[in-house]
Amino acid sequence: MLDVEAQEPPKGKWSTPPFDPRFPSQNQIRNCYQNFLDYHRCLKTRTRRGKSTQPCEYYFRVYHSLCPISWVESWNEQIKNGIFAGKI
Amino acid sequence: MAHAAQVGLQDATSPIMEELITFHDHALMIIFLICFLVLYALFLTLTTKLTNTNISDAQEMETVWTILPAIILVLIALPSLRILYMTDEVNDPSLTIKSIGHQWYWTYEYTDYGGLIFNSYMLPPLFLEPGDLRLLDVDNRVVLPIEAPIRMMITSQDVLHSWTVPTLGLKTDAIPGRLNQTTFTATRPGVYYGQCSEICGANHSFMPIVLELIPLKIFEMGPVFTL
């Protein structure tokens, strides 16, 4: 599911998450969290439908660039333990 | 970095800071003029032999010294707002770096490509090499390219801190539970210093920030950072 090679940016194409007009303000925490949720929701939906999860890797790259890794690790831990508060 | 006994602003390393320096000079000139005028009037009042025991009326002068300050305030506000909106412009960053404040060091994460995460501690005085700056130099500097818009995401793991680099005109609070974004573009290479700007405990004065700005070609050569 978490294919490291698939997660790497396309050669020479990915630079950094672009400006997201949904989150124009200084506090980007929602941007980071939303992409994290979108990634897991995308994985869950596409796996359920038996499709390739390659398109979901965009959300992975965005949240990986924006979110502090300690937050991501703690969220992943919560998901693993079934105590994650977000709706996936 | 600032030199000893420096009073003025450091030289600008980003276009926003250049604007801020110009604005500072403009506002300071207005302040000096007003101060000089008031001090002169005070001096005249204190050294005159003339007396006047009648109530006098000066409607015209009162009108002038109400309208004129209002105009002066507008002349200060307009450039100020211009710069404020300039800092908020949408630019397409080339690189995103995360800066996480701890008691009492910074963690930097370069996660656009892979994952480079490292801590940046102030060099203790005993570990300083000749030529190092006391209380300013760190073990691992933040290496960045020049002439590329860089997005900094700043947060904290524990208490409030503030990530500051005066020469870039940057000061952004590191608040736990919040991910503050600031962008900048450096115009010239060099090593630039800043210090934590929000009281955060015993070693608040001992968690500096050091940016090493290098040409893009050298930055692209890959991680040549010393860890």
Side-chain angles (χ1 to χ4, degrees):
Chain A
M1 195 165 74
L2 291 178
D3 179 2
V4 173
E5 262 188 31
Q7 283 164 359
E8 268 171 27
K11 286 278 177 275
K13 284 215 191 106
W14 177 257
S15 62
T16 208
F19 168 69
D20 191 339
R22 298 176 297 166
F23 313 103
S25 49
Q26 192 184 30
N27 188 7
Q28 292 285 295
I29 190 172
R30 199 69 213 171
N31 192 353
C32 139
Y33 187 62
Q34 193 60 51
N35 280 288
F36 181 82
L37 289 178
D38 287 345
Y39 173 65
H40 286 282
R41 288 173 187 167
C42 174
L43 279 185
K44 183 176 167 193
T45 318
R46 290 189 77 91
T47 321
R48 184 166 50 84
R49 293 184 188 165
K51 295 187 186 167
S52 143
T53 56
Q54 176 60 30
C56 304
E57 304 310 334
Y58 172 79
Y59 298 119
F60 174 83
R61 285 197 295 273
V62 174
Y63 88 68
H64 192 63
S65 280
L66 295 177
C67 301
I69 297 300
S70 55
W71 293 3
V72 172
E73 282 168 0
S74 101
W75 291 334
N76 283 334
E77 192 68 35
Q78 287 172 8
I79 291 175
K80 207 168 71 167
N81 296 334
I83 53 173
F84 184 66
K87 186 173 159 216
I88 292 182
Chain B
M1 56 152 282
H3 57 78
Q6 177 168 334
V7 176
L9 298 167
Q10 296 180 25
D11 287 342
T13 308
S14 78
I16 301 282
M17 190 57 190
E18 287 168 20
E19 298 279 352
L20 284 170
I21 291 175
T22 313
F23 172 70
H24 169 266
D25 293 344
H26 166 74
L28 192 62
M29 182 53 78
I30 294 175
I31 290 168
F32 280 160
L33 288 172
I34 295 171
C35 276
F36 183 70
L37 189 66
V38 170
L39 285 170
Y40 181 58
L42 193 60
F43 172 74
L44 288 179
T45 321
L46 291 172
T47 55
T48 185
K49 297 256 188 321
L50 303 168
T51 57
N52 181 0
T53 52
N54 305 326
I55 295 171
S56 50
D57 150 71
Q59 286 287 41
E60 304 78 8
M61 190 160 68
E62 298 226 351
T63 313
V64 167
W65 73 31
T66 306
I67 303 288
L68 203 55
I71 294 173
I72 290 173
L73 286 174
V74 169
L75 287 179
I76 296 175
L78 289 178
S80 175
L81 288 172
R82 187 179 72 91
I83 297 174
L84 183 65
Y85 281 88
M86 207 183 280
T87 57
D88 250 354
E89 270 172 5
V90 172
N91 54 8
D92 227 353
S94 311
L95 191 61
T96 301
I97 312 284
K98 286 165 261 178
S99 164
I100 297 148
H102 305 260
Q103 284 177 311
W104 289 279
Y105 61 98
W106 296 94
T107 302
Y108 297 104
E109 298 183 5
Y110 290 60
T111 45
D112 281 339
Y113 304 88
L116 172 63
I117 302 174
F118 59 90
N119 294 333
S120 181
Y121 284 85
M122 182 188 81
L123 286 180
L126 293 170
F127 287 70
L128 291 172
E129 305 278 314
D132 282 347
L133 298 167
R134 191 180 76 94
L135 306 186
L136 282 177
D137 265 320
V138 295
D139 52 1
N140 302 313
R141 296 172 174 169
V142 188
V143 181
L144 294 170
I146 57 169
E147 291 167 356
I150 294 166
R151 180 204 265 137
M152 289 293 309
M153 309 291 277
I154 297 159
T155 185
S156 165
Q157 199 75 329
D158 37 47
V159 298
L160 296 180
H161 301 271
S162 186
W163 197 83
T164 307
V165 184
T167 187
L168 291 165
L170 294 176
K171 185 178 295 195
T172 310
D173 281 356
I175 299 167
R178 199 179 155 98
L179 194 56
N180 279 334
Q181 174 182 281
T182 190
T183 51
F184 67 91
T185 307
T187 51
R188 55 197 176 105
V191 180
Y192 305 109
Y193 297 86
Q195 292 174 291
C196 176
S197 301
E198 186 65 44
I199 187 84
C200 54
N203 288 347
H204 156 67
S205 316
F206 309 115
M207 49 181 292
I209 297 125
V210 184
L211 256 47
E212 186 173 323
L213 292 164
I214 57 179
L216 187 59
K217 282 205 179 62
I218 302 179
F219 184 80
E220 280 176 342
M221 273 161 37
V224 291
F225 318 133
T226 51
L227 282 176

